[in-house]
């Protein structure tokens, strides 16, 4: 973690929605907006800004490392991460090189969040067979970690050609360069991350977040079996959210934005129509939607910390139909209002336990 004195880091994640053919901003405009967001997030004290890799017309985030490297020059403290890098369809050599370059440019603030991704467009785009879905990720994660651990690499080959004792450069400033595992809730992913001793990010987009507690236990148990200290593990979540001056205002303004996006994806995946009833249930204190005023959102994050033992919370607040001023306002409130409440409450709880 970037600041070990904090009980929990707080940041934001995004896929840089643009959707230029359906009333959204252009890709180029969305990229320029991202620079404004990252700078603001840094100024208000957020700990991380993370960009997910996607290869669809409604997103602008096919090259997270390039975007984050641009922001590195105008920020000072915030950590810069992917969310996720679709490692299965990428080359681990290039992934390491790109993020090691970002790490140098940012003076040691880069992170890789590796995962399978929530869409499959990258597989045919880069010539991979979806039948190799699991094997691709396992093989490429192994190679990425091997590159991270050693300047000179020998690799027998597989889906990626062999490497014969070759140097991989530049080397990251951080030793080791942080690699997180991103998962939507797969027990196998939790166990794999634990066995490797890698930090984990759970994408919690529906239901009750506390249902992920058994996965956290699986993760910790696997880590302990492999000889890793469970007390040093880093656990993060990523969930949708929106903050306004009052909880009612936030609820009313965010519902059409959330519904439009969920129903767009739902039509592709055969989901039921996203309703106001579903939305309001998710806004409940025990739900997975962090929508409200700063006090209510802070209360929900504190509860999430209690249930899952988080070291990091990331709010996803970016949809193409959300006015950019509202996105910026949410970033401002998350950093200046929500984070201080959360840190104060968790510090108080720690003091009571230690008394």
């Amino acid at each position: 973690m970037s600041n070990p004195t904090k009980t929990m880091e707080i940041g934001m994640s995004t896929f840089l929605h643009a959707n230029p053919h359906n009333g959204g901003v252009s890709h180029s405009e969305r990229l320029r907006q991202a620079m404004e967001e990252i700078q603001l997030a840094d100024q208000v004290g957020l700990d991380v800004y993370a960009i997910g890799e996607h290869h669809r017309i409604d997103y602008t985030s096919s090259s997270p490392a390039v975007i984050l490297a641009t922001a590195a020059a105008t920020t000072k403290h915030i950590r810069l991460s992917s969310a996720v890098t679709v490692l299965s369809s990428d080359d681990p050599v290039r992934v390491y090189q790109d993020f090691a370059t970002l790490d140098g440019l940012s003076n040691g603030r880069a992170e890789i969040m590796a995962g399978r991704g929530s869409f499959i467009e990258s597989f045919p785009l880069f010539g991979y067979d979806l039948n190799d879905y699991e094997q691709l990720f396992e093989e490429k994660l192994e190679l990425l970690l091997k590159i991270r651990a050693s300047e000179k690499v020998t690799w027998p080959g597989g889906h990626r050609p062999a490497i014969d004792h070759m140097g991989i450069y530049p080397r990251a400033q951080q030793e080791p360069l942080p690699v997180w595992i991103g998962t939507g809730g797969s027990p196998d992913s939790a166990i794999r991350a634990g066995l490797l001793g890698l930090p984990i990010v759970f994408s919690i987009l529906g239901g009750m977040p506390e249902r992920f507690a058994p996965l956290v236990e699986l993760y910790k148990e696997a880590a302990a079996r492999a000889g890793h200290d469970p007390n040093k593990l880093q656990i993060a979540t990523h969930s949708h959210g929106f903050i306004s001056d009052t909880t009612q205002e936030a609820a009313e303004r965010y519902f059409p934005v959330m519904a439009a996006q969920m129903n767009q994806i739902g039509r592709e995946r055969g989901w039921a129509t996203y309703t106001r009833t579903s939305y309001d249930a998710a806004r409940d204190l025990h739900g997975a939607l962090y929508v409200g005023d700063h006090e209510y959102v802070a209360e929900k994050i504190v509860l999430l910390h209690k249930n899952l033992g988080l070291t990091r919370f990331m709010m996803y607040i970016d949809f193409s139909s959300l006015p950019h001023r509202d996105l910026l306002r949410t970033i401002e409130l998350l950093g200046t209002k929500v984070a201080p409440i959360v840190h104060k409450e968790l510090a108080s709880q720690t003091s009571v336990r230690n008394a």
Side-chain angles (χ1 to χ4, degrees), residues 96-250:
Y96 180 85
Q97 289 175 328
D98 286 347
F99 281 86
T101 300
L102 169 61
D103 203 45
L105 289 169
S106 64
N107 194 25
R109 292 185 280 129
E111 296 181 358
I112 299 169
M113 189 192 301
R116 293 171 175 80
S118 57
F119 296 100
I120 61 172
E121 286 82 3
S122 64
F123 289 85
L125 183 62
F126 296 112
Y128 290 98
D129 190 336
L130 277 171
N131 291 323
D132 299 324
Y133 189 81
E134 293 291 340
Q135 188 178 1
L136 280 166
F137 184 75
E138 292 178 6
E139 177 185 303
K140 293 192 175 188
L141 178 61
E142 182 180 350
L143 177 54
L144 176 63
L145 296 178
K146 193 176 184 71
I147 294 168
R148 181 178 77 154
S150 177
E151 178 180 332
K152 295 291 182 70
V153 174
T154 297
W155 179 253
H159 290 283
R160 190 218 183 276
I163 304 173
D164 185 14
H165 195 63
M166 297 187 69
I168 309 296
Y169 306 105
R171 304 306 297 175
Q173 179 172 320
Q174 297 177 88
E175 289 293 346
L177 178 66
V179 174
W180 295 65
I181 298 298
T183 174
S186 162
D188 289 342
S189 294
I191 292 170
R192 178 188 294 111
L195 292 173
L196 294 170
L198 296 175
I200 193 166
V201 183
F202 294 103
S203 181
I204 305 180
L205 305 181
M208 298 175 67
E210 61 195 58
R211 67 188 171 88
F212 280 75
L215 293 175
V216 171
E217 289 307 309
L218 278 178
Y219 168 62
K220 291 182 176 180
E221 290 168 2
R225 289 199 308 271
H228 305 291
D229 184 352
N231 294 320
K232 294 183 179 179
L233 297 174
Q234 297 184 52
I235 303 168
T237 61
H238 147 105
S239 294
H240 293 130
F242 177 70
I243 310 169
S244 195
D245 293 330
T246 69
T247 293
Q248 187 61 34
E249 179 185 2

Side-chain angles (χ1 to χ4, degrees), residues 255-273:
F255 172 67
V257 172
M258 185 77 178
Q261 183 62 26
M262 295 300 288
N263 286 326
Q264 177 184 332
I265 298 174
R267 284 189 291 271
E268 299 177 15
R269 299 184 178 182
W271 296 347
T273 300

Side-chain angles (χ1 to χ4, degrees), residues 34-51:
M35 296 302 103
E36 188 177 1
E37 292 162 27
I38 303 174
Q39 291 165 19
L40 177 61
D42 188 50
Q43 291 165 9
V44 300
L46 292 182
D47 296 293
V48 59
Y49 185 100
I51 301 176

